[in-house]
Amino acid sequence: DQQVKQNSPSLSVQEGRISILNCDYTNSMFDYFLWYKKYPAEGPTFLISISSIKDKNEDGRFTVFLNKSAKHLSLHIVPSQPGDSAVYFCAASGAGGTSYGKLTFGQGTILTVHP
Amino acid sequence: EPEVTQTPSHQVTQMGQEVILRCVPISNHLYFYWYRQILGQKVEFLVSFYNNEISEKSEIFDDQFSVERPDGSNFTLKIRSTKLEDSAMYFCASSPQDRATNEKLFFGSGTQLSVL
């Protein structure tokens, strides 16, 4: 299932700089997109989301951008902090009128923020 | 902050045995889910549950799987006859009712199931 893809398995960033995590999707029926982060031995934790009617959503240091024509979204973290080091998952929902909460996940990107 | 609780954190079983994975969702949530992640693969949807019945299930969720909400707090996933390929981290999740927040699933820490 390649409907949601995160092509970068890992990203390394210096503390204070911007982290940009990317995600592509193929199913044009998706209408809601989310980012989750996951620490070892924990479940995914909701970070930020965006509806397909918007192209940007911001929450503190985290901003998600959606480019529907390119079927691409990105997560920007500014400034990056060592505590942001985690696996980040892109997820999408809404394809084909499916029920709420059926998320399709990407493979994840391991973000490492160096002090 | 309220959280989803899963027990046990690790479960080892023999192939062919039945296992029950347990979850306590957040108390005022109405939608419940099971996801799993096989080592090295994506987190994948298994089943959603609302109003005491399955809302949707994936192709993975065959007759060997069942879910139940036996009381007002627990939500369980049963695998009747485990196979080697059932080895995975199983995540329980719950969410509130309204569409604006439904997809903001709250996940538990998972149960690592190992089938030998």
Side-chain angles (χ1 to χ4, degrees):
Chain A
D1 178 3
Q2 294 295 311
Q3 293 192 79
V4 178
K5 291 189 291 185
Q6 294 174 254
N7 291 317
S8 298
S10 63
L11 175 67
S12 183
V13 172
Q14 204 68 31
E15 181 179 7
R17 306 295 290 268
I18 185 171
S19 295
I20 300 176
L21 297 104
N22 294 302
C23 177
D24 296 295
Y25 62 95
T26 57
N27 192 331
S28 58
M29 296 295 289
F30 286 138
D31 64 359
Y32 200 76
F33 304 90
L34 309 92
W35 285 93
Y36 280 82
K37 72 175 182 181
K38 184 181 179 304
Y39 295 116
E42 295 184 14
T45 303
F46 171 77
L47 196 55
I48 192 169
S49 61
I50 187 167
S51 165
S52 61
I53 63 173
K54 296 184 176 181
D55 55 18
K56 177 183 175 181
N57 189 27
E58 193 171 351
D59 183 3
R61 297 186 297 113
F62 303 91
T63 302
V64 56
F65 296 92
L66 176 62
N67 182 334
K68 287 192 295 293
S69 60
K71 294 191 177 65
H72 176 84
L73 63 155
S74 61
L75 174 68
H76 292 210
I77 306 174
V78 182
S80 302
Q81 300 173 353
D84 295 329
S85 298
V87 180
Y88 287 78
F89 293 100
C90 170
S93 74
T98 56
S99 61
Y100 304 152
K102 182 182 178 183
L103 303 181
T104 301
F105 281 86
Q107 304 95 315
T109 296
I110 301 170
L111 174 65
T112 304
V113 181
H114 298 284
Chain B
E1 186 175 325
E3 59 181 25
V4 175
T5 305
Q6 289 187 244
T7 55
S9 56
H10 293 85
Q11 176 91 47
V12 180
T13 189
Q14 295 291 323
M15 189 171 56
Q17 294 296 304
E18 175 184 286
V19 294
I20 298 176
L21 308 183
R22 304 182 189 279
C23 170
V24 179
I26 295 173
S27 61
N28 62 343
H29 286 184
L30 299 177
Y31 287 83
F32 313 112
Y33 313 89
W34 284 99
Y35 282 76
R36 78 174 187 187
Q37 186 177 26
I38 295 172
L39 187 63
Q41 298 186 23
K42 296 182 179 184
V43 176
E44 50 189 356
F45 170 82
L46 291 179
V47 65
S48 59
F49 190 87
Y50 172 71
N51 199 26
N52 283 319
E53 61 182 23
I54 291 175
S55 301
E56 187 163 0
K57 58 185 180 180
S58 71
E59 297 172 352
I60 304 165
F61 196 88
D62 61 22
D63 292 343
Q64 291 300 313
F65 291 87
S66 62
V67 289
E68 191 178 28
R69 188 154 163 83
D71 51 43
S73 60
N74 291 285
F75 180 53
T76 62
L77 174 69
K78 181 193 289 187
I79 309 175
R80 289 188 182 81
S81 178
T82 50
K83 303 188 285 282
L84 295 176
E85 54 264 37
D86 294 327
S87 296
M89 178 70 85
Y90 287 80
F91 292 107
C92 173
S94 67
S95 67
Q97 182 175 12
D98 60 280
R99 177 67 205 271
T101 55
N102 256 349
E103 282 86 353
K104 295 176 187 176
L105 273 57
F106 292 76
F107 285 85
S109 298
T111 294
Q112 180 64 56
L113 176 65
S114 298
V115 182
L116 306 179

